[in-house]
Amino acid sequence: MTSYSVLSSGTRNTIIATWSGETVDTSLTITSLAERYPAQALAELLTRLSEFSWDAAAFLDTAPAMEAAIVELVQRLRSDGELTEPVHVDVEGCRHAERWSCADFVEELQSTAPRVLSALTRAQRLAVADELAADAAGRVEALKLLPTGFDPESDASRIWQMCQVTRVTSSGIFGHPPNSSAGWIVQGWRGPESSPARRWGCRDKLVRLEQLTEACLANGGRGLMDDDPLGTHLVMPIPGGEPLSEADIFDIRVHPSTRTPLEPDPFAPLYVTVRRHGSTGRPEAVEVAVDDDDAFASLLGPWTTMVPGKVISVANLYKDGDDALAG
């Protein structure tokens, strides 16, 4: 996320944006306010909106709706209209609408943003709009670049912060994915990955594990993700069988053994072990590419594609996002 702080000097309180780079952090001045308390409130608001948006861009299906709300907020700030009305975030039907990053983001736009932003001058509003747009443009750029496997060329790019554990709230640290996905990347791949592209490879696996677990639960099975070893254990009853005794069992792991390798490969396939009900032979062991929907459906069953609500679609996540943000 981009973190915003206040630098007080004389009668001015300057809002400074800071984000992680490859080797050093990058900072720039956004705007100045006369009073410290409103400046602190603005810095906190911007930090939280950035934190929730960057986390959602990687892990939540609510990300497009949240980015659409940012676009609307930017347009309001650039217009001459009032800012007292809250910005609506349309997350109806999304699987992750109740997750921390989304729920808190909605709360910030509903209650905090109108109060804090309506007190700004015209020049301050325009400066804040430009910063919100720049931060969102960083996410658009990240979602175009990282799936190709390449890191940004510029050390000052905001992409370097993608999939990092957030620094203000518990998002990314506690619980099960997607709430804690950034933290699970650190646990499951032996420490923080310095490369955003490699972190994105880890992210792809966690998104797939979470999707399979939710699909299993939604279709009458039992499932639970585990970080030691990193993977998910799924029990899916066979059609017409006894729910507790007649079931297929699937173990999907990120690493080929129960121990994390010294140099884990974030781009390796997922390792699937299949124990069919009634089978007396050795469990079937298969390697499956993380993005191969058809392979998972063929191996585990068509239920793998039956997830309630909306599913993350990286390819079209920010279609037309550049034009909207440019204003």
Side-chain angles (χ1 to χ4, degrees), residues 19-42:
W19 61 89
S20 301
E22 181 179 14
T23 56
V24 296
D25 291 350
T26 297
S27 296
L28 59 83
T29 298
I30 305 303
T31 189
S32 295
L33 281 72
E35 299 182 16
R36 182 167 180 80
Y37 175 76
Q40 290 176 327
L42 177 59

Side-chain angles (χ1 to χ4, degrees), residues 17-169:
T18 303
W19 61 89
S20 301
E22 181 179 14
T23 56
V24 296
D25 291 350
T26 297
S27 296
L28 59 83
T29 298
I30 305 303
T31 189
S32 295
L33 281 72
E35 299 182 16
R36 182 167 180 80
Y37 175 76
Q40 290 176 327
L42 177 59
E44 181 181 7
L45 171 66
L46 293 176
T47 297
R48 290 173 68 81
L49 291 179
S50 178
E51 175 188 33
F52 302 142
S53 298
W54 278 94
D55 184 63
F59 303 115
L60 304 187
D61 70 337
T62 58
M66 293 167 65
E67 294 297 347
I70 291 291
V71 169
E72 181 179 345
L73 181 58
V74 168
Q75 292 172 342
R76 288 192 190 185
L77 285 164
R78 287 172 173 165
S79 72
D80 295 325
E82 296 292 331
L83 296 173
T84 54
E85 290 297 320
V87 174
H88 176 64
V89 188
D90 184 12
V91 294
E92 183 178 357
C94 294
R95 283 200 298 126
H96 301 141
E98 301 302 320
R99 299 297 182 174
W100 294 330
S101 288
C102 178
D104 289 355
F105 177 89
V106 172
E107 178 64 22
E108 289 295 314
L109 286 186
Q110 291 289 313
S111 60
T112 308
R115 172 177 53 83
V116 173
L117 298 178
S118 60
L120 301 180
T121 66
R122 174 66 175 167
Q124 291 165 346
R125 288 167 48 143
L126 292 176
V128 169
D130 289 346
E131 171 54 24
L132 287 170
D135 200 48
R139 294 188 290 275
V140 173
E141 182 186 5
L143 292 169
K144 292 178 179 178
L145 176 65
L146 297 184
T148 69
F150 291 97
D151 288 332
E153 295 182 359
S154 171
D155 183 65
S157 171
R158 301 195 191 211
I159 295 178
W160 292 99
Q161 63 193 332
M162 179 61 88
C163 296
Q164 287 185 335
V165 177
T166 53
R167 292 173 284 177
V168 174
T169 71

Side-chain angles (χ1 to χ4, degrees), residues 195 216 318:
S195 160
C216 182
Y318 291 99

Side-chain angles (χ1 to χ4, degrees), residues 294-317:
D294 293 338
F296 279 105
S298 176
L299 181 63
L300 277 62
W303 58 266
T304 59
T305 62
M306 302 174 187
V307 185
K310 301 176 183 178
V311 181
I312 295 173
S313 176
V314 175
N316 298 313
L317 194 55

Side-chain angles (χ1 to χ4, degrees), residues 189-227:
W189 279 267
R190 290 191 179 274
E193 284 284 0
S194 59
S195 160
R198 286 176 61 86
R199 288 198 295 267
W200 195 257
C202 303
R203 168 265 178 206
D204 282 344
K205 290 181 171 56
L206 290 175
V207 168
R208 172 62 72 178
L209 292 175
E210 189 263 347
Q211 179 259 324
L212 290 174
T213 304
E214 290 301 311
C216 182
L217 295 172
N219 290 277
R222 290 171 291 165
L224 181 66
M225 290 183 65
D226 193 2
D227 59 357

Side-chain angles (χ1 to χ4, degrees), residues 268-310:
L270 288 169
Y271 303 90
V272 183
T273 302
V274 180
R275 298 173 178 85
R276 301 290 181 187
H277 171 68
S279 175
T280 58
R282 297 183 61 183
E284 182 182 4
V286 183
E287 296 181 7
V288 183
V290 69
D291 60 349
D292 195 338
D293 295 335
D294 293 338
F296 279 105
S298 176
L299 181 63
L300 277 62
W303 58 266
T304 59
T305 62
M306 302 174 187
V307 185
K310 301 176 183 178

